[in-house]
């Protein structure tokens, strides 16, 4: 997956926006003000920080130890850093969508319904 593909994927979700609160080199993808992905799209290797259920985070790190690590500069219980090129594209897409869904699940019900994600 290329940086452009990762960016388009993150922006493909309802109400997703890209912001640069940490400077122009770091893309932060949010839904209704809540971050679900963070990436230095110009970095090599390309990585993305994604929110994850704590139990799934541990399992993913164990199963994909070369490509999934505790979230760099993040709460390591809830965030993973994913080496995008170390995993198949469909699996990366799934991880990004899971992160988005997890963040949306924490939003108030009215906002979830507006996003068509009950």
């Amino acid at each position: 997956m290329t940086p452009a593909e990762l960016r388009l994927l993150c922006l493909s979700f309802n109400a997703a926006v890209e912001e640069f609160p940490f400077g122009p080199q770091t893309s932060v993808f949010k839904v209704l003000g809540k971050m679900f992905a963070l990436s230095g799209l110009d970095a090599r290797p390309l990585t993305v920080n994604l929110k994850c259920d704590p139990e799934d985070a541990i399992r993913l790190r164990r199963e994909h130890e070369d490509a999934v690590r505790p979230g760099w500069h993040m709460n390591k219980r809830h965030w993973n850093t994913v080496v995008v090129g170390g995993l198949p594209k469909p699996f990366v897409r799934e991880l990004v969508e899971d992160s988005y869904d997890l963040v949306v699940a924490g939003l108030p019900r009215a906002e979830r319904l507006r996003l068509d994600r009950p």
Side-chain angles (χ1 to χ4, degrees):
M1 180 175 288
T2 67
E5 290 172 325
L6 177 61
R7 182 177 184 273
L8 286 175
L9 171 63
C10 290
L11 292 173
S12 71
F13 299 104
N14 291 342
V17 297
E18 180 180 22
E19 297 180 356
F20 300 91
F22 307 117
Q25 71 282 1
T26 305
S27 294
V28 176
F29 298 95
K30 296 181 177 182
V31 57
L32 300 180
K34 303 290 184 182
M35 180 172 56
F36 69 92
L38 178 142
S39 179
L41 295 175
D42 292 333
R44 298 295 175 261
L46 177 60
T47 63
V48 61
N49 285 1
L50 299 170
K51 191 155 188 160
C52 192
D53 174 79
E55 290 180 18
D56 288 339
I58 293 168
R59 178 184 55 78
L60 288 167
R61 292 172 199 162
R62 187 175 38 238
E63 291 175 0
H64 306 280
E65 63 186 46
D66 291 338
V68 180
R69 300 180 283 239
W72 188 68
H73 285 299
M74 307 293 280
N75 179 328
K76 291 167 183 15
R77 184 166 185 258
H78 295 277
W79 290 85
N80 280 336
T81 296
V82 176
V83 179
V84 174
L87 297 169
K89 283 184 189 182
F91 190 59
V92 173
R93 284 188 192 100
E94 182 181 323
L95 294 175
V96 173
E97 184 171 8
D98 288 349
S99 179
Y100 175 86
D101 287 341
L102 194 57
V103 170
V104 168
L107 295 172
R109 185 173 188 272
E111 290 180 348
R112 287 194 316 266
L113 292 175
R114 267 192 317 151
L115 295 171
D116 295 326
R117 298 253 186 196

